[in-house]
């Protein structure tokens, strides 16, 4: 197949936008730092630019689960070596995981398949690290598995792996036995070496392992992993999140009664002295103050009695970081209660790198904005610089460069340290033909953004409504400043909040209409898909729960559409303001009365599966009409199960479709400015063409295609969203599941 060189760049949000469960500092080379994410791969720190570089962009369509990183290890003997345990879910529908190894700091990878699954996006993912390299003999690695698979060992630098059959406890804790997502054994949580029990070239003899078990959770080997025993006198009732051995001979452990990242209502911090065998409860909270677990644990390599721990889901009013300079005998809080409800702060927050982190809300003492964090399962102090700290949250990486000011009465300056990390899940993209913004996004968890400059952090959608996830967004083709987006309002928190927002100024300001679709007994919870008529005179909303509704009053009243099944995919004609299209279970529908009634067109040959999910074998349906030509529609999607998978084209409002013979599989379709000398818009698709999965462009109505990405820029299973730019020929915007939004231009 033909290809054309493109330059791929991230659309900047400035903050990541997702959970960072682990940050790993190399112990022998300064400024060699890695961050791992749960669905967006891993990143390496670039000290010169104070930013992160993705080391996972070569992950492709088939091996998408490599972007779930459950553990990462950087080699202290050969810093060029880095390893990852990858695999996203332990659920039945994911594939087995793998150990990945690199000799060039993550630029290129080799892979060893594992005979079991790895859970980069499963409960307990911020515990760790589960994958470790012997600090004295770096051909030896250990990996603590989930799902009852126990402890594994490699003696050939990660190429082959075998089970350590003498390890006695595969873990007993299950977060939620009733959920397909949470009914799996969390397994082993962390592994820590006592480096002093080996010498360079000779294997470390003493190894500690933490297990997700409330009865007996900490094990030790003193013979290089041959035999194992539970440490005597250890605390029970809690699960160990992190365990780290100080050069003082104290093993520090953070405990919680949940594995995180969302749970944990009680916790403790302990230290174990390896010489005396004594356990000491050094918890910074006791009694009624102890209503959350402990997650992050940071030891200061320069000052072995200095350590920090973070609350794991204190939630209200904010998380807490505790610091001790005397081995946990006494602690200082990063904030404390003053004269209630006021608080006193030992820190300041700087979010200028990503102003949207305050979610547009006014900060109060009891509801701070931005928050210090949440889901703070990992907290690290730079082993070479006592002033540098980093920690992961549910939305970004925060850090400080003046940490020791804490000890001298000054304020710790905390700022966003996530430059280059782009971790959002993209659910919709629009590129309107006019206005100040070439790109507007609909995102999971962080709602979405209007981008005026793709290289600068955006502002969040301004004004109401506000909700976490925006599922769908559209604009009126002939009146592009009119936009509509749908999400799911938190009615418990804000009863008046609507799950739909409308803008009249290109997405700068938004307002809520007066009503939402209701079937008489139930008002929609929202989500689903929205389509706007060509002129903006009507809105069509295929809700997630009560069917398809239309409004000809800009959302102030809604009526059920007749003839279109609940859950249908929808699209508006981009010329005729009265025409909409629908698709469900193999049948194509058209409306010529603004969405009031739909009739089946009789077009055939489509896949019958209509699920727009991300699991294997499910159909991704992408259906859009072409601007400027009434009745011109492209339809992408399908599945391998039915052997109906590809790209279809209609020029008669869906009365009939022609399946392209030169496209084997297709999942998305988008349009951009026509090529020079052409009148028909360029097509963009995520597809399989000539046996190759990739991103493709056609300038000749689909007759020929050129691949516009390459094997180094694959971004995993990219079946989320795509659009061209109607104002810039060749420009494509691509949405990913955990790697943010990319934009690309011809070289």
């Amino acid at each position: 197949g033909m290809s054309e060189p493109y330059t791929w760049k991230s659309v900047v949000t400035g903050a990541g936008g997702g959970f960072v469960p682990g940050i790993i500092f190399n112990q022998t080379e300064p400024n060699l730092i890695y961050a791992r994410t749960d669905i967006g791969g891993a990143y390496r720190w670039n000290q010169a630019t104070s930013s992160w570089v993705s080391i996972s962009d070569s992950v492709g369509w088939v091996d998408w689960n490599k972007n779930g990183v459950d553990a990462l290890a950087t080699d202290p003997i050969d810093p060029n070596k880095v390893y990852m345990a990858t695999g996203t879910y332990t659920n039945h529908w994911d594939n087995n995981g793998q150990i990945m190894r690199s000799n060039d700091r993550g630029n290129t990878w080799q892979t060893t398949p594992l005979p079991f699954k790895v859970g980069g996006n499963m409960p307990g993912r911020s515990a760790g690290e589960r994958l470790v390299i012997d600090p004295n003999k770096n051909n030896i690695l250990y990996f603590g598995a989930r799902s009852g698979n126990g402890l594994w060992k490699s003696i050939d630098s990660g190429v082959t792996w075998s089970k350590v059959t003498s390890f006695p406890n595969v873990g007993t804790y299950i977060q939620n036995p009733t959920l397909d997502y949470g009914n799996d054994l969390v397994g082993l949580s962390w592994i820590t070496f006592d480096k002093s029990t080996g010498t360079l070239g000779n294997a470390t003899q003493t190894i500690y392992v933490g297990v997700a078990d409330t009865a007996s959770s900490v094990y030790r080997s003193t013979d290089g992993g041959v035999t194992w025993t539970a440490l005597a006198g250890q605390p029970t009732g809690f699960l160990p999140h992190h365990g780290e051995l100080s050069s003082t001979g104290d093993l520090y452990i953070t405990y919680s009664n949940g594995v995180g990242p969302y749970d944990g209502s009680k916790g403790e911090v302990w230290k174990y002295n390896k010489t005396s065998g004594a356990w000491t409860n050094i918890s910074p909270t006791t009694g009624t103050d102890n209503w959350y677990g402990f997650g992050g644990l940071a030891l200061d390599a320069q000052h072995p009695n200095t350590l920090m721990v973070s609350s794991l889901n204190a939630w209200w009013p904010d998380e807490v970081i505790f610091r001790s300079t005397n081995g946990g005998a006494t602690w200082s809080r990063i904030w404390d209660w003053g004269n209630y409800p006021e608080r006193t702060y030992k820190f300041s927050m700087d979010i200028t790198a990503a102003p949207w982190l305050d979610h547009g809300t006014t900060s109060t003492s009891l509801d701070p904005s931005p928050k210090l964090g949440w889901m703070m399962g990992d907290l690290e102090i730079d082993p070479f610089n006592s002033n540098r700290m980093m920690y992961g949250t549910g939305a970004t990486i925060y850090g400080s460069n003046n940490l020791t000011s804490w000890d001298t009465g000054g304020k710790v300056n905390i700022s966003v340290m996530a430059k280059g990390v782009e971790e959002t899940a993209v659910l919709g993209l629009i590129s309107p033909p006019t206005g100040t913004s070439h790109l507007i996004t609909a995102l999971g968890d962080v709602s979405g953004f209007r981008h005026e400059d793709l290289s600068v952090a955006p502002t969040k959608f301004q004004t109401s409504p506000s909700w976490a996830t925006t599922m769908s967004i559209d604009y009126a083709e002939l009146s592009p400043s009119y936009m509509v987006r749908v999400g799911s309002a938190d009615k418990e928190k804000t009863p008046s909040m609507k799950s739909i927002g409308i803008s009249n100024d290109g997405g700068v300001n938004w307002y809520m209409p007066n009503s939402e679709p209701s079937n008489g007994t139930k008002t929609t919870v929202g989500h689903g898909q929205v389509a706007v008529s060509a002129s903006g005179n009507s809105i069509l909303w295929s809700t997630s729960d009560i069917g398809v509704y239309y409004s000809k009053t800009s959302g102030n009243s809604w009526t059920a559409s007749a003839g279109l099944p609940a859950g249908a995919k929808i699209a508006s004609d981009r010329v005729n303001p009265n025409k909409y299209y629908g698709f469900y279970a193999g049948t194509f529908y058209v409306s010529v009365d603004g969405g009031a009634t739909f009739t089946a067109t009789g077009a055939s040959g489509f896949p019958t599966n209509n699920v727009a999910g991300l699991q294997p074998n499910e159909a991704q349906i992408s259906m859009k009409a072409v601007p400027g030509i009434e009745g011109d529609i492209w339809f992408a999607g399908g599945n391998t199960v039915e052997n109906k998978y590809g790209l279809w084209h209609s020029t008669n409002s869906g009365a009939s479709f022609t399946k392209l013979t030169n496209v084997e599989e297709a999942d998305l379709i988008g349009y951009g400015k026509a090529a020079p000398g052409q009148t028909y818009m360029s097509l963009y698709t995520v597809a399989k063409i000539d046996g190759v999965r990739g991103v493709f462009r056609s300038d000749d109505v689909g007759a020929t295609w050129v691949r516009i990405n390459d094997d180094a820029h694959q971004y995993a299973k990219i079946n989320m969203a795509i659009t061209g730019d109607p104002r810039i020929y060749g420009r494509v915007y691509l949405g990913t599941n955990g790697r943010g939004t990319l934009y690309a231009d011809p070289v």
Side-chain angles (χ1 to χ4, degrees), residues 630-645:
E630 182 177 349
D632 196 303
I633 314 156
W634 292 84
F635 178 106
N639 56 73
T640 51
V641 175
E642 294 179 292
N643 199 25
K644 292 176 180 174
Y645 202 168

Side-chain angles (χ1 to χ4, degrees), residues 26 28 32 73-83 133-134 138:
N26 188 281
T28 55
L32 179 56
T74 170
D75 193 328
I77 295 173
D78 180 356
N80 287 323
K81 291 188 173 186
V82 59
Y83 301 83
I133 304 161
D134 188 321
N138 66 344

Side-chain angles (χ1 to χ4, degrees), residues 93-388:
W93 44 261
D94 199 355
N95 299 318
N96 283 345
Q98 49 273 319
I99 303 288
M100 298 168 62
R101 62 190 186 276
S102 173
N103 293 315
D104 55 15
R105 303 178 185 229
N107 292 328
T108 60
W109 296 95
Q110 292 176 286
T111 299
T112 298
L114 290 170
F116 51 80
K117 296 176 182 183
V118 172
N121 198 32
M122 298 304 290
R125 57 193 179 272
S126 59
E129 288 295 307
R130 293 176 170 87
L131 177 66
V132 291
I133 304 161
D134 188 321
N136 290 302
K137 194 169 169 59
N138 66 344
N139 60 298
I140 298 175
L141 291 90
Y142 286 89
F143 174 58
R146 294 172 175 269
S147 315
N149 292 300
L151 183 65
W152 288 67
K153 182 179 183 179
S154 173
I155 56 171
D156 57 8
S157 300
V159 180
T160 62
W161 291 80
S162 58
K163 189 171 186 176
V164 180
T165 54
S166 62
F167 191 78
N169 188 349
V170 298
T172 60
Y173 180 79
I174 295 173
Q175 189 185 63
N176 188 334
T178 66
L179 286 181
D180 184 34
Y181 174 73
N183 65 5
D184 190 46
L185 291 172
V186 175
L188 276 55
S189 298
W190 50 262
I191 307 167
T192 299
F193 289 95
D194 182 351
K195 188 183 175 184
S196 70
T197 62
T199 56
L200 190 61
N202 296 292
T204 304
Q205 293 301 295
T206 298
I207 311 160
Y208 298 88
V209 177
V211 178
D213 182 353
T214 56
S216 181
S217 63
V218 185
Y219 292 80
R220 179 174 62 185
S221 174
T222 56
D223 54 14
V226 178
T227 61
W228 298 85
T229 52
L231 287 183
Q234 63 177 283
T236 59
F238 295 99
L239 304 156
H241 207 78
H242 285 280
E244 202 171 330
L245 187 70
S246 171
S247 60
T248 59
D250 291 305
L251 175 68
Y252 291 93
I253 305 173
T254 50
Y255 289 93
S256 173
N257 63 359
V259 291
Y262 309 110
D263 58 356
S265 57
K266 199 177 263 306
E268 293 177 349
V269 183
W270 286 76
K271 73 174 175 181
Y272 168 81
N273 185 275
K274 71 175 188 181
T275 306
S276 70
W279 287 89
T280 308
N281 185 342
I282 56 168
S283 301
T285 59
T286 55
T288 55
D289 286 336
N290 182 205
W291 45 271
Y292 43 79
F294 292 96
L297 167 68
L299 304 187
D300 187 339
Q302 308 284 324
H303 302 92
N305 283 308
T306 294
L307 71 150
M308 295 164 63
V309 297
S310 63
S311 59
L312 186 61
N313 298 327
W315 295 109
W316 179 91
D318 206 350
E319 299 295 338
V320 193
I321 298 174
F322 302 87
R323 179 173 172 90
S324 175
T325 55
N326 54 16
T330 59
W331 295 90
S332 164
R333 293 170 58 112
I334 202 164
W335 64 264
D336 218 329
W337 292 107
N339 192 2
Y340 188 90
E342 293 310 309
R343 298 190 290 147
T344 58
Y345 301 90
K346 292 194 179 76
F347 72 99
S348 64
M349 292 287 284
D350 176 2
I351 58 165
T352 51
W356 57 267
L357 281 167
D358 67 4
H359 297 294
T361 59
T362 303
S363 183
T364 67
S365 183
L366 297 184
D367 191 11
S369 185
K371 287 190 176 292
L372 182 64
W374 62 94
M375 297 160 61
M376 288 162 61
D378 195 32
L379 172 76
E380 302 291 336
I381 298 172
D382 186 335
F384 300 94
N385 178 0
S386 299
N387 267 311
R388 178 155 67 175

Side-chain angles (χ1 to χ4, degrees), residues 282-562:
I282 56 168
S283 301
T285 59
T286 55
T288 55
D289 286 336
N290 182 205
W291 45 271
Y292 43 79
F294 292 96
L297 167 68
L299 304 187
D300 187 339
Q302 308 284 324
H303 302 92
N305 283 308
T306 294
L307 71 150
M308 295 164 63
V309 297
S310 63
S311 59
L312 186 61
N313 298 327
W315 295 109
W316 179 91
D318 206 350
E319 299 295 338
V320 193
I321 298 174
F322 302 87
R323 179 173 172 90
S324 175
T325 55
N326 54 16
T330 59
W331 295 90
S332 164
R333 293 170 58 112
I334 202 164
W335 64 264
D336 218 329
W337 292 107
N339 192 2
Y340 188 90
E342 293 310 309
R343 298 190 290 147
T344 58
Y345 301 90
K346 292 194 179 76
F347 72 99
S348 64
M349 292 287 284
D350 176 2
I351 58 165
T352 51
W356 57 267
L357 281 167
D358 67 4
H359 297 294
T361 59
T362 303
S363 183
T364 67
S365 183
L366 297 184
D367 191 11
S369 185
K371 287 190 176 292
L372 182 64
W374 62 94
M375 297 160 61
M376 288 162 61
D378 195 32
L379 172 76
E380 302 291 336
I381 298 172
D382 186 335
F384 300 94
N385 178 0
S386 299
N387 267 311
R388 178 155 67 175
M389 160 190 74
M390 292 184 185
Y391 61 94
T393 76
T396 192
I397 297 170
Y398 283 119
S400 176
N401 289 312
N402 75 327
L403 182 58
T404 61
S405 294
W406 189 323
D407 306 325
T408 55
K411 278 202 171 178
V412 177
N413 299 325
I414 294 177
S415 61
V416 183
M417 285 193 182
K419 183 180 178 184
V421 176
E422 293 297 340
E423 205 193 340
T424 52
V426 183
L427 301 173
L429 295 172
I430 58 172
S431 182
T434 59
T436 56
S437 298
H438 281 250
L439 178 70
I440 300 171
T441 60
L443 303 177
D445 295 339
V446 293
S447 191
F449 303 106
R450 181 178 55 87
H451 293 271
E452 293 198 350
D453 181 338
L454 300 176
S455 64
V456 174
T459 51
K460 202 158 179 267
F461 290 141
Q462 295 300 299
T463 56
S464 200
S466 62
W467 53 73
T469 293
T470 300
M471 287 294 293
S472 178
I473 188 168
D474 195 12
Y475 66 93
E477 189 66 47
L478 307 179
S479 184
S481 58
Y482 184 79
M483 295 176 178
V484 182
R485 59 189 173 95
V486 294
S488 188
D490 184 346
K491 304 275 190 179
E492 284 183 25
K493 188 176 180 184
T494 316
S496 62
M497 189 74 72
K498 300 287 189 288
S499 296
I500 180 168
I502 298 174
S503 175
N504 290 315
D505 57 11
V508 178
N509 295 286
W510 296 83
Y511 67 93
M512 296 184 294
N514 291 329
S515 72
E516 293 167 290
S518 177
N519 63 8
T521 57
K522 184 181 192 300
T523 297
T524 181
V525 299
H527 280 172
Q529 189 196 353
V530 71
V532 181
S533 73
S535 67
N537 66 345
S538 67
I539 303 167
L540 188 67
W541 187 357
S542 182
T543 69
S544 65
D545 55 345
I546 62 168
V548 184
Y549 286 75
Y550 71 97
S551 173
K552 295 188 178 182
T553 58
S554 216
N556 289 320
S557 59
W558 295 88
T559 307
S561 298

Side-chain angles (χ1 to χ4, degrees), residues 696-714:
F696 297 85
R697 190 192 78 233
S698 174
D699 295 336
D700 54 14
V701 203
T704 60
W705 297 90
V706 292
R707 187 183 181 200
I708 59 175
N709 74 319
D710 54 49
D711 289 351
H713 302 86
Q714 298 197 81

